[in-house]
Amino acid sequence: MSATTAPETPAPAKVPAVNRLGLAQAVYKGSPSTLCTGCGHDSITNQIIKAMFELDVEPHHVAKLSGIGCSSKTTAYFLGQSHGFNSVHGRMAAVATGVNLANSNLMAIGVSGDGDTASIGLGQFLHMVRRNVQICYIIENNGVYGLTKGQFSATADKGSLQKKGDSNEMFPIDCCALAIEMGCEFVARSFSGDYKQLCTLLKAGLSHRGTAMIDVVSPCITFNNHEGSTKSYKFAKDHEEALHEIGFVSSHEPITAEYEEGTTTKIELPDGAHIILKKLHRDYDPSDKANALELLAKARDERLFLTGLLYMGKGQAPMVEQKNLVDEPLATLPQSRVRPSPEVLAQVMESLK
Amino acid sequence: MESISNIKRIHWIYQLKIVKLILLSHNGKKPMSSSTLNQPEVAATGKKGSVVNDIVIQIATSNGSGSQSANNILLRSIFNMGVPVSGKNLFPSNIQGLPTWFTIRASKDGWTGARREIDVLIAMNVESVVDDIRDLRPGGMLILNSELKQYLTRTDVKAHIVPFNELVVQCCPEVKLRKLVTNMIYVGVAGFLLSMDIEEIKKSIDKQFKTKPKVADLNRNAVTVGYNWASEHLVNDHDYVIERDHKTEGKILIEGNMATALGALYGGVTVVAWYPITPSSSVCENLIELLRHYRHDPDGKATYAVLQAEDEIASIGFVVGAGWTGARAMTATSGPGISLMSEFAGLSYFAEIPAVIVDVQRMGPSTGLPTRTCQGDIMKAYYLSHGDCKHIVLIPGSVQECYEFAMESLNLAERFQTLVLMLSDLDLGMNNWMSDPFKPPTKDMDRGKVLTAEDLDKVKQFGRYADVDGDGIPYRTLPGTKHPKAAFFTRGTGHTAAATYSEKAEDWKVNMDRLAKKFATARGMVPAPVIEHQGKGDVGIIAYGSSDVAVKESLSQMKAEKGLEATYLRIRALPTCDAIRDFITSKRVTYLVEQNRDAQMASILRAEYPELAAKLVSVLHYDGMPIEARTISDHILKFEKKA
Ligand SMILES: Cc1ncc(C[n+]2csc(CCOP(=O)(O)OP(=O)(O)O)c2C)c(N)n1
Ligand code: SF4
Ligand SMILES: [Mg+2]
């Protein structure tokens, strides 16, 4: 892989030029990226485009949400036909919560950075997870503040060096471990250069009901791609340990395609889609919370990151379902549905006399 | 004891910005009662010299003793006897134990603002009894718990000593309930001494405890015990008399925060976010109750969502997210919450996203007297956030306007695609006010300029920030709109009329100028100022918010005492409009009454109309207690050299 270009993954032969909606993949693109050439974030953008295309998503159904940072800018670079909101540093989680309440039919995709989520936005992130807001929340994790030119973020590894030579002496915050703690039922980690795994995880995350969070190690080639940084391309490539290979099959394709008795675990997604995990070198059970946390802790000690679907629970209703809202979006309910009758007011007035 | 006397000690500081005259009156002591108040007259039930239906009753208890419902019964009973009345709760920031005072003002003339001379004191709290008795006006009436009789040193008041602890044993066998029931006994005693109709009190009890007949029985019994004991052991001199009148017929008694909640309900709010903070919590608490009752479909599904946030940054984030998506969304908070919301406030202004914040004002940062009132957020609200930012601010002056403006805030937020702040305060929000019943809205909800897919078919192109109509207000589309032209990208950074990214100087400026134009359009669409009273002379008074009642009473005071007839204009919203400028221009001098130290509204008006700066004289009140008419009158009369 080259560190200076971010080529699109060549489409596998069996994927047609248009998807089931008759849309070409190009329709899922946004405006041209203004990030540094070779930035890991651009690779993630490309996989989001591909995942949306392959999932046959109607662009107008999507709300693209982000905070502030190089990573957060990328919502402008995909799905040009969807509404997008580049909001406030560290506060996209709250915006997403409001979007969910106002129109739960929208597919919310959130893009954030490690600074945006783990530093300024940590509280809101955890509360969003706790509420189980319906969103696929992607953290483009480079261990630095890219946009403000290379300061340490809260996910910077202990011992990593800043460009000017300062070293970080604090342990990094592991957003995956925190999300699992907070009850998140879809927690995954990937690497911006691992297109196949990333695209599959994105498709699974976008199909999940409730909060799906994907922490994507995404090297900042300008400020954090040097010796001593654990979020450099080289380090990430050398220290990545994939948990399992994942094949994602959405509900309208034959489920049996990659399913092999004895070597796979099939996980039902609440919307009817399935995710199939191919175990590589261990019997990994993504429904075992304690095991996931233990592995994450161990990986941190060993300075390697596990990729794949780390944890998947099932059952907790997303926030909006817990609220028992009407089926139509609250946003567009007509006056007749939201303004009580004059008699009700008269009745209230009478009680105050 | 020290801190308590500080709470109750009253300072009037009149600060004159222009003339730099600072007058510290009364030296921290109560002013002598004015001869024009409590004019004796002959009462039907009383005698010559009785004070009828013009009485301030203070009840001193301790927080958490359950006196609230007893006090409300007394308030309601006076109201039901047809006498205009208000109830103000002065409570500490504490759950149990600290002193608390409830002040009922019965006023035949309908003056329901604060008045500090206490005519009748019911002293139940050992913690505050010394100060309480000291503050009773000479000749006043004291109902004193016999346990506290050693604190009675004054001879110039009429004291009635009542063995509450013995009486309560008679009517309440359950030891646990005795503290509560004692409160109802003082209602009975006061009822007798004020010559009230005990049946009216019993009716109020039945109404308040409609669903709890056992509790109603217990309370009715307690009131009777108090009333009967008093009639057998005390002499009613008829000094103070509550006499039946007809001035409250058809009226309601309501707290401002409940009125605000009703406004939001009828405004069709769909997303409500909040983080509890006194004195705003009851806006959302009341609203939740109302929504629960009136906004579920027959199948039980809700046409609204309420979410308690983890802090105020999140609350406003929910509101902005929901507003962007198209919901009518609001939050309620107080000063500290406003501070936390400021970044989102700027984004709402700049990215043009509807949002409503109800700010029920209290004092200071952090805990800073959360249970006291002020108008200290005016400036902050108007300019909230950074860069060039100005917001629409609605300032209700009554409970009726709390209702109307809460509704209108939601309309204006969507019409102007921006943040609207409604500024209430603790006095208005948490105290009981008399009002005409609210009328159902006559206007349809205004959803503003939203383009649907069908609309988009008809337009050549859609530019999210284009000024198509020349009023500075652009069109928007909602996420989920199925149309190739619908999508746009919202950002805080510079943008063009087509909502594309831009860092170009001219693009930024063009957009800022359009936002200014939009704001100018708002000048003509926010609630206009009203001339509340047309006087004869060349003296003007401007006030806003909860100062209204006090100003009106002051006008009548000044006329009666010194023949001064001022004209009074009440500001109801920002931005300002020509009517305010013309008013100030037409007067020799205009007194601007505010409940803050820094003359915040005056600063705004001086910035808007620098040529009129010298004509404004500030009357400022900021000790945390609601402003009273006397403060205003004394100040203006002094300045007019009539004092
Ligand atoms: C309230 C606030 N504080 C600070 C900033 C400045 N700021 C912009 S982006 C950023 C850090 C972004 O880091 P990260 O989220 O990791 O994104 P990256 O650029 O690394 O992708 C900061 C501190 C801001 N925009 N808002
Ligand atoms: S500074 Fe780093 S994170 Fe930002 S665009 Fe450049 S490479 Fe990407
Ligand atoms: Mg970063």
Side-chain angles (χ1 to χ4, degrees), chain A residues 34-98:
Chain A
T34 58
L35 301 186
C36 306
T37 309
C39 173
H41 300 349
D42 278 335
S43 308
I44 302 171
T45 299
N46 288 335
Q47 294 317 309
I48 293 173
I49 291 170
K50 186 161 183 281
M52 290 283 189
F53 166 71
E54 289 180 8
L55 281 175
D56 305 316
V57 171
E58 296 219 57
H60 78 273
H61 249 117
V62 180
K64 305 177 294 177
L65 308 168
S66 58
I68 301 294
C70 295
S71 36
S72 292
K73 283 182 169 198
T74 64
T75 42
Y77 312 147
F78 61 85
L79 267 74
Q81 292 189 21
S82 305
H83 278 71
F85 191 176
N86 188 187
S87 65
V88 171
H89 193 26
R91 319 295 175 198
M92 176 259 283
V95 171
T97 308

Side-chain angles (χ1 to χ4, degrees), chain A residues 121-141:
Chain A
L122 189 62
Q124 287 208 344
F125 170 68
L126 297 179
H127 284 281
M128 175 197 73
V129 167
R130 179 170 171 258
R131 291 188 179 99
N132 206 16
V133 167
Q134 176 68 52
I135 188 172
C136 179
Y137 188 101
I138 300 153
I139 305 169
E140 304 189 344
N141 183 358

Side-chain angles (χ1 to χ4, degrees), chain B residues 256 259 395-403 428 433 435 545-546 548 570:
Chain B
I395 314 171
S398 62
V399 287
Q400 168 108 24
E401 282 186 348
C402 285
Y403 166 71
L428 193 51
W433 299 85
S435 170
S546 66
D548 180 56
R570 182 164 63 85

Side-chain angles (χ1 to χ4, degrees), chain B residues 18 57 74 77 101 212 351 379 383 418 429 485 513 572 596:
Chain B
I18 296 174
I57 306 163
L74 188 54
S77 307
W101 297 269
K212 300 174 193 152
M379 193 107 99
Y383 301 117
T418 194
K485 285 185 215 148
D513 289 343
R572 304 197 300 163
N596 58 58

Side-chain angles (χ1 to χ4, degrees), chain A residues 102-265:
Chain A
N103 187 348
S104 54
N105 299 341
L106 295 172
M107 175 193 248
I109 177 168
V111 179
S112 177
D114 43 310
D116 199 60
T117 294
S119 300
I120 192 169
L122 189 62
Q124 287 208 344
F125 170 68
L126 297 179
H127 284 281
M128 175 197 73
V129 167
R130 179 170 171 258
R131 291 188 179 99
N132 206 16
V133 167
Q134 176 68 52
I135 188 172
C136 179
Y137 188 101
I138 300 153
I139 305 169
E140 304 189 344
N141 183 358
N142 53 16
V144 290
Y145 297 167
L147 196 59
T148 50
K149 299 193 187 300
Q151 302 84 355
F152 288 124
S153 84
T155 69
D157 299 85
K158 186 166 158 59
S160 68
L161 299 175
Q162 244 177 9
K163 218 163 193 177
K164 284 185 183 151
D166 300 340
S167 100
N168 169 50
E169 293 310 321
M170 290 174 287
F171 273 110
I173 287 175
D174 184 337
C175 291
C176 290
L178 284 179
I180 294 172
E181 271 307 333
M182 281 296 132
C184 188
E185 300 205 318
F186 186 109
V187 180
R189 174 163 283 148
S190 190
F191 169 53
S192 61
D194 188 348
Y195 303 151
K196 189 159 174 247
Q197 185 200 44
L198 177 56
C199 185
T200 313
L201 284 172
L202 281 168
K203 290 201 282 183
L206 287 164
S207 309
H208 178 75
R209 272 175 64 240
T211 307
M213 77 79 85
I214 309 176
D215 182 53
V216 189
V217 175
S218 173
C220 168
I221 50 131
T222 306
F223 297 111
N224 200 11
N225 193 33
H226 48 90
E227 290 290 317
S229 162
T230 57
K231 303 249 174 2
S232 65
Y233 264 112
K234 186 159 179 346
F235 191 95
K237 261 294 169 211
D238 295 351
H239 292 75
E240 181 188 8
E241 187 176 315
L243 282 176
H244 35 239
E245 215 171 80
I246 306 159
F248 174 78
V249 185
S250 62
S251 55
H252 51 80
E253 281 174 30
I255 290 161
T256 47
E258 294 190 42
Y259 183 66
E260 248 178 77
E261 193 73 25
T263 58
T264 55
T265 310

